[in-house]
Amino acid sequence: MILVGLTGGIATGKSTVARMFKQCGAVVIDADQLAHDVVKPDKPAWREILKTFGKAVLNPDRTLNRQALGAIVFGNRTRLRRLERIIHPRVAREQARLTRQAARKNPKAVVVYDVPLLFEAGVDTRVDKIVVVTADRETQIARLKKRNGLSRAAALRRINSQMPLAEKIARADFVIKGPLTPTARRQQVRSILLALRSPD
């Protein structure tokens, strides 16, 4: 089994690449989904977030209001790190459990761990190979404005809260440079999978 870390900048097309890896036969574990799961109402992480950031981060149904929480932590490194310390260890435990499960099912599985903050959270030390998905800054901004309804300034704050893409590229084993046509992107995914499955 090989564990691959999939990362990139925000709004670089990483989720699309993850879907393609899955369609091509890889097992995909989504860190964002795990992060959603560990902060469900009344779970330990949820209680800790509430204690740290107050009731203003809750929706009427007691789920976390991600927009409100984002407004508090983005642009404030100390608060962002505090939130990460609550969520990341719990996500890591769940990822390890799912990876073991995948390895038991298929000892030759390629497990792709889709994690936006791969380097920032130190996950890069726990994976065998790293794939970085990139896009130019204007593409990122346009996607964030369209997808999240953010202003240009808010989009830039999100982008700048992450490690620069150039640093991620320098530490990658494989780079998928975007924006690409779906066909070109699928070809890249297939060739990366081929290289992973036959490392010799």
Side-chain angles (χ1 to χ4, degrees), residues 14 16 34-36 42 44 52 69 79 91 96 110 121 158 164 196:
K14 197 172 50 56
T16 307
L34 298 187
H36 275 81
D42 298 314
T52 308
L69 192 55
R79 285 178 182 157
V91 168
V110 173
R158 293 270 173 116
L196 291 167

Side-chain angles (χ1 to χ4, degrees), residues 33-47 49 58 62-64 66 69 83 86-87 90:
Q33 185 56 56
L34 298 187
H36 275 81
D37 294 344
V38 301
V39 298
K40 283 184 175 164
D42 298 314
K43 287 202 165 184
W46 179 89
R47 286 200 293 271
I49 289 167
L58 286 187
R62 297 173 74 243
T63 58
L64 280 185
R66 290 177 180 278
L69 192 55
L83 179 65
I86 294 169
I87 294 174
R90 292 175 168 98

Side-chain angles (χ1 to χ4, degrees), residues 166-195:
E167 273 185 58
K168 294 183 179 184
I169 291 166
R171 295 163 70 176
D173 296 290
F174 303 95
V175 178
I176 297 178
K177 280 193 174 168
L180 291 167
T181 65
T183 307
R185 191 177 280 157
R186 190 177 295 277
Q187 278 172 342
Q188 287 210 352
V189 166
R190 283 206 179 111
S191 68
I192 289 169
L193 269 174
L194 199 64

Side-chain angles (χ1 to χ4, degrees), residues 151-166:
S151 66
R152 184 181 178 86
L156 278 166
R157 271 201 303 279
R158 293 270 173 116
I159 292 165
N160 293 332
S161 74
Q162 295 188 346
M163 180 187 283
L165 268 175

Side-chain angles (χ1 to χ4, degrees), residues 29 34 37 90-104:
I29 299 172
L34 298 187
D37 294 344
R90 292 175 168 98
V91 168
R93 284 196 293 273
E94 190 56 15
Q95 174 261 315
R97 185 184 72 77
L98 292 171
T99 302
R100 285 194 302 272
Q101 192 177 305
R104 276 198 301 273

Side-chain angles (χ1 to χ4, degrees), residues 106-182:
N106 175 9
K108 288 185 177 168
V110 173
V111 179
V112 174
Y113 187 30
D114 174 4
V115 53
L117 301 174
L118 181 93
F119 297 109
E120 294 91 333
V123 178
D124 56 312
T125 60
R126 305 202 313 263
V127 298
D128 304 308
K129 296 286 177 189
I130 294 167
V131 177
V132 170
V133 182
T134 74
D136 60 85
R137 181 154 287 207
E138 287 309 311
T139 299
Q140 287 180 280
I141 291 165
R143 285 175 179 166
L144 282 168
K145 284 166 86 170
K146 188 178 172 189
R147 185 182 81 188
N148 299 56
L150 298 179
S151 66
R152 184 181 178 86
L156 278 166
R157 271 201 303 279
R158 293 270 173 116
I159 292 165
N160 293 332
S161 74
Q162 295 188 346
M163 180 187 283
L165 268 175
E167 273 185 58
K168 294 183 179 184
I169 291 166
R171 295 163 70 176
D173 296 290
F174 303 95
V175 178
I176 297 178
K177 280 193 174 168
L180 291 167
T181 65

